[in-house]
Amino acid sequence: MKPCVAVTRRLPEVVETELAQDFDVRLNSPDITFEPSRLAALLYEADGILCTVTDRFDGSMLSAGSLRTKILANFGVGYDNIETEAARAAGLVVTNTPDVLTEDTADLAVALMLAVARRVGEGERMVRSGEWHGWGPTQLLGTRVHGKTLGIVGLGRIGHAVARRAAVGFHMRILCHTRHPPDRETLDSLGAEYCADLDDLLARSDFVSVHTPATPETRHLIDSRRFATMRQSAFLINTARGDIVDERALIEALSTRQISGAGLDVYEQEPSIARGLLELDNVVLLPHLGSATVQSRVAMGRRATENLRAFFAGRPPPDLIT
Ligand code: DGY
């Protein structure tokens, strides 16, 4: 008998086909996000669950007892949607899908950096609304990206890939802040400087790009006090997780021009977006597209499938979190 695997969201067709070769799959073809009660029920119905960032498995669900599910194979590198300590305590294995989405997510961070600095969103809205009446020497003047200073908060795989693009492609000076200082070789390869103090990085950066994982320690890491340390000409980019940035403080900083602008792919209360953000012109808003390429999403699906295969074959899953 094949293990029963519930897949919480529609995946690229090739991934669903491959999953069905090894598992008795329960697909979500309508792709409607499951309510918490449905997710809780799945824990009693399936041997494994292939879940995504939109599925929150919290402690109360995971500690309910006598669960059938033995593995949560998360489709994504971030796994803050799962209370991993509770999963471990309940004897569940949790896996993620690192590496395969690094380059595409880094591309999107750079896209946001360019979009907000060069006012791409405003320009697009102007054209579509019929408000563009021709070229003008002072129209929609933005800020040069080339040669500026980029502060990277969290120099993991994605942060590193963004720093590489910025250093090589845009000749930017790279500052970075991480919990543990990177080794000399990593810093030298990027021509980067390590800032032990995040405030120091914020005060010296023209662009700040957030790439740290979402944990209780990083919640509201960038708050009103930290916005006050940033340059008035600076831009904040967030492609990591919404709650790393205090969104209320961000709206305040953007509307009072305490900072110049922001490019966001993630939000505190996804998918709802604070009205204050929607009303501002100096912020570019994307719908969590970081890994949204065919290539990344197929690779993420295959990586999650491989984790499930290994687990049910009695081997350690390659991307074991807990
Ligand atoms: C990730 O991989 O963490 C993306 O944000 C989608 O979950």
Side-chain angles (χ1 to χ4, degrees):
M1 274 233 310
K2 292 177 180 176
C4 174
V5 169
V7 182
T8 62
R9 298 297 303 272
R10 185 166 60 224
L11 299 181
E13 203 179 326
V14 61
V15 176
E16 292 191 345
T17 305
E18 288 173 14
L19 271 166
Q21 288 162 8
D22 290 307
F23 304 106
D24 169 15
V25 280
R26 306 294 151 92
L27 300 176
N28 176 2
S29 304
D31 198 27
I32 296 164
T33 311
F34 289 150
E35 294 293 331
S37 58
R38 181 74 196 108
L39 292 176
L42 282 184
L43 290 165
Y44 293 91
E45 296 168 13
D47 301 306
I49 300 178
L50 194 160
C51 52
T52 77
V53 65
T54 58
D55 310 310
R56 174 138 193 86
F57 287 97
D58 63 25
S60 63
M61 287 168 164
L62 293 165
S63 59
S66 314
L67 306 179
R68 175 169 168 186
T69 298
K70 296 288 172 254
I71 174 169
L72 297 174
N74 205 47
F75 178 93
V77 64
Y79 48 85
D80 50 302
N81 53 310
I82 301 171
E83 283 193 23
T84 49
E85 274 313 311
R88 190 208 314 269
L92 269 74
V93 158
V94 177
T95 61
N96 71 339
T97 61
D99 300 323
V100 290
L101 46 70
T102 300
E103 302 301 334
D104 291 332
T105 307
D107 285 348
L108 199 88
V110 173
L112 279 172
M113 191 161 75
L114 291 170
V116 67
R118 298 301 307 275
R119 306 178 66 176
V120 169
E122 288 172 84
E124 226 247 355
R125 287 194 289 280
M126 181 188 272
V127 171
R128 283 185 187 273
S129 67
E131 290 300 310
W132 186 52
H133 304 298
W135 185 88
T138 57
Q139 187 177 74
L140 285 183
L141 300 186
T143 301
R144 180 178 294 164
V145 173
H146 183 99
K148 295 290 177 63
T149 299
L150 171 63
I152 301 269
V153 182
L155 197 69
R157 299 177 192 83
I158 299 171
H160 190 277
V162 172
R164 184 163 28 86
R165 281 161 173 71
V168 175
F170 297 92
H171 294 163
M172 294 178 91
R173 174 164 184 231
I174 309 296
L175 306 178
C176 61
H177 170 83
T178 51
R179 251 183 328 152
H180 306 294
D183 56 42
R184 194 68 259 160
E185 204 182 318
T186 303
L187 290 175
D188 287 350
S189 71
L190 298 167
E193 181 187 336
Y194 176 63
C195 298
D197 181 359
L198 176 57
D199 292 358
D200 176 37
L201 175 145
L202 296 174
R204 291 163 61 201
S205 297
D206 300 305
F207 294 85
V208 174
S209 194
V210 176
H211 299 287
T212 190
T215 63
E217 294 73 44
T218 61
R219 185 178 148 71
H220 289 186
L221 182 70
I222 313 287
D223 58 7
S224 54
R225 188 190 68 74
R226 289 217 153 104
F227 281 118
T229 68
M230 288 176 70
R231 295 177 173 186
Q232 242 188 319
S233 55
F235 297 91
L236 178 82
I237 309 300
N238 189 5
T239 51
R241 283 293 183 267
D243 60 4
I244 300 168
V245 175
D246 178 343
E247 214 161 84
R248 278 235 284 243
L250 171 64
I251 293 166
E252 178 71 14
L254 288 170
S255 44
T256 58
R257 299 278 166 169
Q258 196 169 21
I259 65 168
S260 271
L264 306 178
D265 191 38
V266 287
Y267 306 90
E268 274 205 76
Q269 305 293 335
E270 278 182 40
S272 87
I273 313 277
R275 176 172 294 280
L277 285 176
L278 295 172
E279 286 169 352
L280 288 167
D281 257 340
N282 54 343
V283 58
V284 176
L285 306 170
L286 295 182
H288 204 145
L289 290 179
S291 61
T293 65
V294 173
Q295 292 80 3
S296 274
R297 293 287 163 86
V298 168
M300 289 160 72
R302 289 190 163 141
R303 194 106 179 195
T305 305
E306 197 40 52
N307 284 316
L308 288 162
R309 281 198 193 109
F311 176 79
F312 286 111
R315 290 181 275 115
D319 306 309
L320 185 65
I321 301 296
T322 178

